[in-house]
């Protein structure tokens, strides 16, 4: 069974950093790109970026502050979020693939507040 | 960036009725790389349709997608109680990937 489990979210002060994790199981991790999205409370979905075979691509809104990486040996994708702003408060999701996504994690909530 | 505009914003219907949701793109979506997702409160999105018209695994055949170019439609032929949710279209033909703002299908 394919599973994606995010972790690492929480309450953080503005300007601080967090590393979010997405642990994958039930498929060959290295065969797939992994994409990160976020959804602010009551809002729609926003693409953050994608990692595939060591390359990454980012949305303009987060480029330079967010970094995506992965550890194929552990089947984990990471999202390093830095210089956090209150506007970064959202549920963060990982999803399998780079186009359409048949599997999503349950999300991890990041709340940026002083 | 391709902007996706969904209409209507809210659709008020009764179980058993037909729902027609629209997604219009600001530019041509290459190769019909358009997906539809359903999202319920507190849950992650669920893939319904990819490639504009291909149903994802396990999706009932009351869900169908159509369209090409800049105009796409999701049709739910007969609404079941579990279908009341928010629906998003997403284009994955170019970067950045973008979503529509969503259509809420609510019980009339």
């Amino acid at each position: 069974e394919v599973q994606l489990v995010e972790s690492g979210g929480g309450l953080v002060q503005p300007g601080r950093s967090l590393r979010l994790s997405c642990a994958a199981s039930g498929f060959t991790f290295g065969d797939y790109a992994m994409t990160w999205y976020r959804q602010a409370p009551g809002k729609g979905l926003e693409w953050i970026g994608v990692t595939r075979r060591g390359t990454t691509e980012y949305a303009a809104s987060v480029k330079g502050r967010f970094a995506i990486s992965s550890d194929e040996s552990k089947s984990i994708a990471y999202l390093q979020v830095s210089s956090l702003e209150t506007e970064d408060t959202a549920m963060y999701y990982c999803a399998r693939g780079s186009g359409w996504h048949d599997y999503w994690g349950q999300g991890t909530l990041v709340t940026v507040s002083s | 960036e391709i902007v996706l505009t969904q209409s209507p914003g809210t659709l008020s219907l009764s179980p058993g009725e037909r729902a027609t949701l629209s997604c219009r793109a600001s530019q041509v979506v290459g190769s019909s790389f358009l997906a539809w997702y359903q999202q319920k409160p507190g849950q992650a999105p669920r893939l319904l349709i990819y490639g504009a018209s291909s149903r994802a695994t396990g999706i009932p055949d009351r869900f169908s997608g159509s369209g090409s170019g800049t105009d796409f439609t999701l049709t739910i032929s007969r609404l079941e109680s579990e279908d009341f949710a928010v629906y998003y279209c997403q284009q994955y033909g170019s970067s950045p990937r973008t979503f529509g703002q969503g259509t809420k299908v609510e019980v009339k």
Side-chain angles (χ1 to χ4, degrees):
Chain A
E1 178 193 7
V2 172
Q3 281 197 310
L4 300 173
V5 180
E6 298 97 334
S7 60
L11 175 62
V12 60
Q13 293 179 326
R16 304 298 291 265
S17 300
L18 278 178
R19 188 176 77 162
L20 309 182
S21 300
C22 169
S25 60
F27 64 99
T28 303
F29 185 78
D31 287 348
Y32 291 85
M34 294 298 293
T35 302
W36 285 91
Y37 293 93
R38 66 181 178 181
Q39 187 170 34
K43 302 296 184 182
L45 294 154
E46 179 186 10
W47 180 76
I48 293 173
V50 59
T51 182
R52 59 173 80 82
R53 294 193 174 86
T55 66
T56 54
E57 189 179 359
Y58 299 97
S61 60
V62 304
K63 199 169 185 179
R65 291 196 303 124
F66 289 12
I68 297 172
S69 61
S70 63
D71 185 335
E72 189 173 337
S73 68
K74 296 181 179 179
S75 297
I76 299 178
Y78 299 101
L79 175 64
Q80 179 75 35
V81 295
S82 306
S83 303
L84 283 162
E85 305 165 354
T86 55
E87 293 76 19
D88 296 317
T89 292
M91 185 70 79
Y92 286 72
Y93 294 102
C94 62
R96 188 177 80 163
S98 62
W100 48 268
H101 306 290
D102 49 359
Y103 290 97
W104 295 66
Q106 84 289 351
T108 188
L109 181 63
V110 173
T111 303
V112 184
S113 175
S114 55
Chain B
E1 172 174 325
I2 296 179
V3 175
L4 300 179
T5 303
Q6 292 186 239
S7 61
T10 301
L11 202 48
S12 299
L13 294 168
S14 300
E17 290 194 293
R18 181 185 188 89
T20 303
L21 288 66
S22 173
C23 177
R24 177 161 290 179
S26 61
Q27 306 168 40
V28 170
V29 176
S31 303
S32 293
F33 283 167
L34 193 287
W36 289 93
Y37 297 88
Q38 176 193 70
Q39 189 177 34
K40 296 180 179 179
Q43 296 184 16
R46 174 195 182 198
L47 177 68
L48 301 174
I49 301 287
Y50 63 93
S53 60
S54 297
R55 258 189 311 276
T57 301
I59 301 303
D61 61 7
R62 64 180 181 273
F63 291 91
S64 63
S66 62
S68 64
T70 60
D71 289 297
F72 299 88
T73 300
L74 174 71
T75 301
I76 311 171
S77 59
R78 294 170 310 279
L79 282 164
E80 304 275 347
S81 58
E82 62 264 30
D83 300 335
F84 292 94
V86 178
Y87 292 83
Y88 294 97
C89 58
Q90 178 214 12
Q91 68 79 22
Y92 52 94
S94 65
S95 282
R97 311 305 196 216
T98 50
F99 289 85
Q101 81 280 15
T103 290
K104 182 179 182 180
V105 178
E106 65 176 22
V107 178
K108 185 174 181 181

